[in-house]
Amino acid sequence: MNPRQRVSALLFPVILLLAACGQQGASSPAAPEASQDPLDAMSLEELVAAAEEEGEVVVYSFTSRIEAVEEAFEAEYPNIDLIGSDMSSTEQIARLQAEADAGAAEADVAYISDAPVVFGDLVQSGILHRYVPAAFADTVPAAYQEPLLANRLSTKVLMYNEEAYPDGSPISNLWELTTDEWRGKVVMVDPLVRGDYLDLMTEIVLRADEMAEAYEALNGEPITLDEGIENAGEQFIADLFANDVVLVDDTDNVNAAIGALGQDDPPVGFTSYSDRRDNEDEGWALQVADGVAPAPGIAFPALLGVVDGAPHPAAARLVIHYLMGDDSETGGPGYEPFYVAGDYPTRTDITPPEDALSLEEVGAWEIDPVAVFEIRQDVADLILTLQ
Amino acid sequence: MNSAAPAAATPPGALFWRVRRALRQPVVVIGLGVTFVLGVLAAVPLARLIGDTITADGGSAWSDVLASRLSENLFWSPLVATVAIGLIVGLGSVVLGAGLAWLVVMTDAPGRRLIGFLASLPFVLPSFALALAWESVFRNDLVGGRVGVLWAMGVGVPDWLSWGFVPVCIILIAHYFSLVFLLVAAALASVNADLTEAGEMAGASRGRVALGITLPVVMPAIVAGFLLAFAEGVSNFAVPALLGLPVRFQTLSTRLYGSISTGQTERGFVLAVLLICVAALVLFAASRLTGRGRGYATITGKGGRRRTLALGRWRWPLVAVAAGICLATTIVPAAVLALSSVARRSGQLSGELTLHFWSGASDPSIAQGTEGVLRNPQIIEAGLTTLLLGVAVAALSALLALGIGYVVVRGKGTLLARAVELMSFVPFLIPGIALGAAYIAVFGRPIGPLPALYGTLALLILAGTAATLPFAAQAGRSTMGQVAGDLEEAAVMAGASMPRRMAAIIVPLSLRGLLAGGVLVFVKMVRDLSLVVLLVTPSTTLLSVIAFRYASEGFAQFANAITVVIAAISVGATLLARRLEGAAQPWAEQ
């Protein structure tokens, strides 16, 4: 083999690789618009026209209900192809970060929870941008417009099986979960794997005073803290883990564990109130435990953001507009998948569904994303030592 | 120019001539090429892994992992669990796999062809499929919700059998023994009959022949199988994740996944580096113990029909045991998967049945309107991408296997050979999750004029080739090790050039081993999860990720349906490979 042949033989695999890279044109970053402001100020009709020119839109969504939204959206705007991807908030955060680093944004819209990390990391570094359609600027409270728009509040609260407990929740105080009666019969997703559950644990630590009061109300004496534990909230988490709390890796496993029909002695656990909508299809009997002292869990916003460098910015804004719903009382087809008990629209002009407990009745704590973000990592470390 | 310059002459001049002469040797040329490729695939991501742990953030991560109140749960306990799993899985896989391989290839057991086929199948199913099948039978009510068949019948299944260490080991052995089986069977099939005949003519008993002749000759393949099963057992993520969490059983791979997916990348990388060190130690010790480096050339060009061993009265008991193993590891999980993909209610196998999850149109009340597997355009596209990925990685792998095998065996002892061996070992030790994360870190951004590969199929192909390097290396090395040097030397003396030698001698003789390796790689890529889970994007997605996602979402029937599709693809590939193997070497007896 002469030298030239040798060199070309060695270069051949390199050429193959480069050719393979060249084929994938889809991920080339779009040239940044001169300024995003013109799109932010457009009316709905102008937005639709611009979006139809773009032709498609990619949405990352933390809820699988995006499929239903996709159908309704494409029925309304047949010239725009909505491509929805269902991935957990934790995964979305990692993915959006990686795409930003690569300079190749694939998604246009992020529909995401885990507000503490979203605000603390993604918004701070400019990966997600805020967009509030003018039509909803008045009907959504200011708190749910900054730093990103939220179209509803979702929950992570204590739920039980209403077939086995037809007279109401068997738990009326969170501290009961740490007693012998409920040893090994409390289920939740591992907080170290799902950010929303870590936020729940963190909020419990932030509300340590209320937790201490609740302890006293149940046991008649003030709480004593173990060594290394700083407040009643941390003590609760430690006791919960010492009481053999069962950890799984997905909310649907929690739902099946708590809610499956035909159980004599089902466990209770933390999951989303809105998962009750699947009771009939899945054969569950989920019901929210209201009236739990000091609170059954947390309520947190479901955020909508435009991704920086999105390939289809106008269509992205149209999707956000669509997800906020329309003029009708129940929010219309865009909001319909979320018009269930357990989802609380941020718009003040939508009537709640019947048979749904209001947020006050449920009594869940609304989280403060900034406060949660500050101590979240410490709570995660605490949980690590308990596992 | 050809005579060596005297050592006392100008040193630069002598060096120049030595280098020039070296570059004319094909071993060196191929070696340099392979080294470059391996450098890009294996060394650079590893350097990135280590490098990221030495930064400012990385420093605190080291102390967090090793010497803080977190260390017990984050590192030390999972470490013990991980190493234990690795050793048990390695040994168990070798015992089962090599035993079955011997039964199928070397004896006259009835039904051995069927057993051989079935024994190669467990590797084809994704490991989480076996875990799901185990749950359907053995799950107790620790987590509430649906229970397995045994508990529903009233059998009180204890926690240690339903969850945690024991089922993880059993499932991983049931999964990886077939890997060892394939490797050892390929090696046994190439063993020349002269060797055993010589032993028998000298009067050795059957057992003596088996232990004294056959076993040492295929020892390289057995050791390779052990090392692969160990490395895979140590880095497997899906099974401990599914079966360990409810009893808080953690391995280093689940801790790693947890760290990286919650943004604690430095901690994850520290764990990965430590895992690599531990695995390297064990592998080093293992190779020292078995005296690797003594290869045996058994494809010598001097032929002889392979004679099978008559089992006599051991025949039926052994076949019964083998059949039992195959049933439990292949037929039952496949049946459970297929049944649960048509069950109306997930988990209730005896309830109402429906084909909705396969061919049904979108129904909003079922799984939020997801279409049936065979109609869903996203799944079909993912299927095509998966096939493309599998074929591309298998082809690149086979090419690399040839190169690596040639350099390592023909250039044994040289610096190049040792460097190549070392680098092809490296991905062994890096868990799939960490390798994926390292690849994003290295290739996810633009490198000079080269574009960022994040989200492209090219990145998946690169990462897949790197992850399957150990398979390629072992296949290449054991294959090349069996092709005796005399054949090539004869060709050299007859004046054949390097490409001619490759095409006419080396490739055809290694084809069987390379094909087996290529199919292994294809199957591994088609069903792999931990490597690709961080690398796929919605526009380039794969079947295994969709299946795992559906399983996590509780869309169990869809997940199982897709798993059946993955299994069908892999089984099809295995069957095709067998057919081709027979055609490629007609002189080898079936």
Side-chain angles (χ1 to χ4, degrees):
Chain A
M1 193 172 11
N2 66 42
R4 208 176 300 143
Q5 284 177 328
R6 263 180 242 148
V7 166
S8 38
L10 289 177
L11 276 183
F12 187 56
V14 179
I15 296 173
L16 262 184
L17 275 178
L18 288 177
C21 305
Q23 266 178 19
Q24 299 294 328
S27 58
S28 54
E33 305 287 318
S35 117
Q36 304 285 28
D37 289 344
L39 284 171
D40 281 345
M42 276 191 190
S43 72
L44 184 59
E45 294 74 28
E46 294 171 331
L47 211 53
V48 172
E52 289 193 339
E53 265 192 52
E54 288 172 355
E56 71 172 28
V57 62
V58 177
V59 180
Y60 287 173
S61 158
F62 75 105
T63 170
S64 50
R65 286 177 270 179
I66 192 70
E67 292 237 17
V69 173
E70 184 176 333
E71 267 192 50
F73 184 86
E74 287 175 358
E76 175 115 6
Y77 304 108
N79 293 329
I80 310 176
D81 184 19
L82 193 158
I83 305 170
S85 285
D86 169 25
M87 60 181 89
S88 73
S89 302
T90 317
E91 209 189 314
Q92 271 193 58
I93 291 169
R95 179 141 294 164
L96 289 170
Q97 193 84 56
E99 288 177 11
D101 285 340
E106 276 219 21
D108 301 301
V109 180
Y111 188 28
I112 189 172
S113 67
D114 204 0
V117 180
V118 171
F119 294 165
D121 281 341
L122 295 184
V123 174
Q124 285 279 37
S125 41
I127 295 178
L128 284 182
H129 294 301
R130 171 178 172 269
Y131 171 65
V132 181
F136 305 109
D138 297 326
T139 49
V140 175
Y144 299 126
Q145 292 189 29
E146 297 274 356
L148 287 179
L149 179 65
N151 79 334
R152 63 184 167 108
L153 294 180
S154 182
T155 56
K156 282 287 181 277
V157 287
L158 191 66
M159 298 189 69
Y160 66 97
N161 187 316
E162 62 181 350
E163 188 200 35
Y165 300 104
D167 301 323
S169 165
I171 303 272
S172 54
N173 185 313
L174 273 187
W175 286 95
E176 288 180 46
L177 299 175
T178 64
T179 61
D180 280 334
E181 192 193 336
W182 292 96
R183 173 170 290 271
K185 298 180 61 60
V186 182
V187 189
M188 67 176 186
V189 178
D190 185 358
L192 299 180
V193 167
R194 284 292 157 88
D196 293 325
Y197 283 86
L198 184 56
D199 293 340
L200 170 64
M201 295 289 116
T202 309
E203 188 66 24
I204 289 177
V205 172
L206 284 173
R207 307 265 181 165
D209 295 334
E210 292 179 51
M211 293 299 295
E213 273 178 37
Y215 182 87
E216 223 178 298
L218 183 68
N219 295 311
E221 54 177 19
I223 187 170
T224 47
L225 301 176
D226 290 340
E227 186 153 336
I229 303 285
E230 308 212 339
N231 56 49
E234 287 189 6
Q235 186 65 51
F236 174 78
I237 299 177
D239 288 348
L240 191 64
F241 275 80
N243 210 30
D244 291 344
V245 65
V246 179
L247 298 178
V248 294
D249 63 349
D250 189 81
T251 44
D252 279 303
N253 294 333
V254 179
N255 294 337
I258 308 171
L261 294 169
Q263 297 188 74
D264 292 324
D265 196 14
V268 294
F270 292 99
T271 178
S272 299
Y273 179 7
S274 58
D275 282 344
R276 192 172 140 78
R277 72 185 184 275
D278 290 332
N279 270 356
E280 212 181 288
D281 283 332
E282 295 287 345
W284 295 336
L286 290 175
Q287 177 58 281
V288 66
D290 58 328
V292 175
I298 57 172
F300 54 90
L303 303 163
L304 289 163
V306 178
V307 178
D308 184 49
H312 313 101
R317 287 166 171 78
L318 183 60
V319 168
I320 293 181
H321 196 289
Y322 191 72
L323 278 169
M324 290 300 294
D326 64 13
D327 297 336
S328 58
E329 235 181 51
T330 63
Y335 188 74
E336 197 193 319
F338 312 106
Y339 191 69
V340 295
D343 280 328
Y344 300 98
T346 51
R347 279 173 57 187
T348 48
D349 57 341
I350 295 182
T351 41
E354 301 174 5
D355 189 38
L357 292 175
S358 72
L359 205 48
E360 291 76 33
E361 284 170 327
V362 172
W365 288 318
E366 263 195 65
I367 62 170
D368 172 7
V370 175
V372 168
F373 186 64
E374 272 170 25
I375 67 165
R376 202 168 175 270
Q377 192 48 50
D378 296 329
V379 176
D381 286 347
L382 170 68
I383 294 177
L384 243 179
T385 63
L386 297 170
Q387 271 194 4
Chain B
M1 181 197 73
N2 285 335
S3 52
T10 5
L15 188 61
F16 173 72
W17 289 119
R18 284 230 299 274
V19 167
R20 187 172 164 161
R21 194 169 50 225
L23 278 177
R24 298 182 121 237
Q25 291 175 30
V27 179
V28 174
V29 171
I30 297 181
L32 285 176
V34 169
T35 309
F36 173 74
V37 172
L38 288 185
V40 167
L41 285 182
V44 169
L46 177 66
R48 184 56 186 258
L49 265 185
I50 300 178
D52 272 358
T53 64
I54 307 184
T55 62
D57 285 332
S60 64
W62 276 100
S63 61
D64 278 345
V65 170
L66 286 179
S68 72
R69 62 176 184 155
L70 306 172
S71 307
E72 173 73 31
N73 283 344
L74 183 58
F75 178 64
W76 298 107
S77 308
L79 174 68
V80 169
T82 306
V83 171
I85 290 178
L87 288 174
I88 292 181
V89 169
L91 287 171
S93 304
V94 160
V95 165
L96 270 188
L100 275 179
W102 174 79
L103 190 73
V104 166
V105 177
M106 300 297 280
T107 70
D108 66 344
R112 62 181 178 278
R113 202 171 292 191
L114 182 64
I115 294 179
F117 174 67
L118 287 179
S120 58
L121 287 188
F123 194 62
V124 152
L125 293 175
S127 52
F128 64 82
L130 288 174
L132 292 174
W134 178 274
E135 274 195 306
S136 319
V137 177
F138 289 97
R139 185 178 164 125
N140 65 12
D141 74 340
L142 176 67
V143 183
R146 63 187 167 94
V147 291
V149 167
L150 284 184
W151 187 272
M153 292 196 307
V155 177
V157 187
D159 276 349
W160 60 261
L161 186 60
S162 279
W163 313 96
F165 186 73
V166 169
V168 168
C169 285
I170 295 178
I171 289 173
L172 288 179
I173 292 179
H175 182 55
Y176 291 117
F177 88 89
S178 67
L179 173 61
V180 179
F181 170 82
L182 287 170
L183 284 176
V184 175
L188 281 175
S190 311
V191 166
N192 207 295
D194 308 2
L195 299 172
T196 46
E197 272 175 21
E200 278 166 21
M201 282 197 295
S205 69
R206 288 192 298 236
R208 188 80 198 274
V209 167
L211 288 176
I213 297 180
T214 320
L215 188 60
V217 165
V218 295
M219 191 52 97
I222 292 182
V223 170
F226 170 81
L227 296 180
L228 278 176
F230 174 84
E232 290 283 314
V234 148
S235 59
N236 183 283
F237 160 72
V239 179
L242 279 172
L243 294 179
L245 198 47
V247 289
R248 307 215 215 126
F249 173 73
Q250 298 274 358
T251 61
L252 282 179
S253 56
T254 55
R255 281 288 183 221
L256 218 151
Y257 179 73
S259 301
I260 292 186
S261 60
T262 52
Q264 303 267 304
T265 339
E266 291 83 24
R267 262 193 216 165
F269 282 4
V270 167
L271 283 173
V273 170
L274 288 168
L275 184 56
I276 291 171
C277 292
V278 164
L281 270 173
V282 174
L283 293 180
F284 184 69
S287 58
R288 267 293 145 98
L289 275 176
T290 55
R292 209 169 49 77
R294 276 185 298 146
Y296 297 97
T298 53
I299 304 179
T300 56
K302 312 175 206 99
R305 273 181 55 237
R306 198 179 345 114
R307 273 199 13 216
T308 56
L309 189 67
L311 283 176
R313 68 197 155 119
W314 286 105
R315 174 192 280 221
W316 289 110
L318 282 178
V319 169
V321 168
I325 295 175
C326 291
L327 209 73
T329 58
T330 316
I331 312 264
V332 169
V336 166
L337 272 186
L339 251 186
S340 45
S341 71
V342 293
R344 173 67 182 85
R345 287 250 187 281
S346 53
Q348 290 176 6
L349 299 183
S350 51
E352 188 190 323
L353 299 181
T354 167
L355 275 181
H356 172 82
F357 304 98
W358 280 97
S359 52
S362 172
D363 179 347
S365 67
I366 301 181
Q368 269 107 39
T370 311
E371 286 175 281
V373 163
L374 296 175
R375 294 171 63 135
N376 192 325
Q378 193 200 23
I379 293 180
I380 294 175
E381 197 182 317
L384 292 174
T385 313
T386 310
L387 282 175
L388 185 58
L389 176 68
V391 169
V393 172
L396 279 178
S397 240
L399 208 62
L400 272 180
L402 203 55
I404 295 176
Y406 192 76
V407 171
V408 166
V409 173
R410 292 286 175 263
K412 190 182 286 300
T414 64
L415 185 62
L416 261 181
R418 278 199 292 250
V420 165
E421 269 205 88
L422 192 63
M423 278 200 285
S424 61
F425 256 147
V426 162
F428 243 4
L429 316 167
I430 307 181
I433 303 269
L435 192 61
Y439 260 77
I440 294 182
V442 173
F443 296 104
R445 299 147 211 251
I447 305 175
L450 298 172
L453 290 183
Y454 182 79
T456 61
L457 187 58
L459 184 62
L460 281 167
I461 294 178
L462 272 185
T465 312
T468 51
L469 262 182
F471 288 79
Q474 294 292 2
R477 200 204 332 248
S478 54
T479 303
M480 278 299 181
Q482 289 182 322
V483 176
D486 347 357
L487 297 173
E488 210 189 337
E489 282 167 18
V492 171
M493 286 196 289
S497 66
M498 181 63 203
R500 187 79 201 274
R501 297 203 304 268
M502 270 289 184
I505 298 178
I506 297 176
V507 170
L509 285 179
S510 336
L511 206 56
R512 186 181 205 132
L514 287 182
L515 203 58
V519 169
L520 268 182
V521 166
F522 175 82
V523 163
K524 187 165 163 34
M525 281 317 296
V526 159
R527 62 154 180 64
D528 178 78
L529 181 67
S530 47
L531 174 72
V532 299
V533 71
L534 288 173
L535 296 175
V536 302
T537 60
S539 56
T540 43
T541 189
L542 299 170
L543 285 179
S544 53
V545 177
I546 297 184
F548 196 65
R549 186 151 296 158
Y550 280 161
S552 308
E553 297 276 319
F555 299 165
Q557 299 94 323
F558 285 109
N560 292 334
I562 297 180
T563 311
V564 170
V565 171
I566 296 176
I569 293 176
S570 311
V571 170
T574 317
L575 282 176
L576 186 64
R578 283 176 168 253
R579 193 136 290 193
L580 290 177
E581 266 180 51
Q585 292 185 327
W587 61 82
E589 188 195 36
Q590 270 302 325

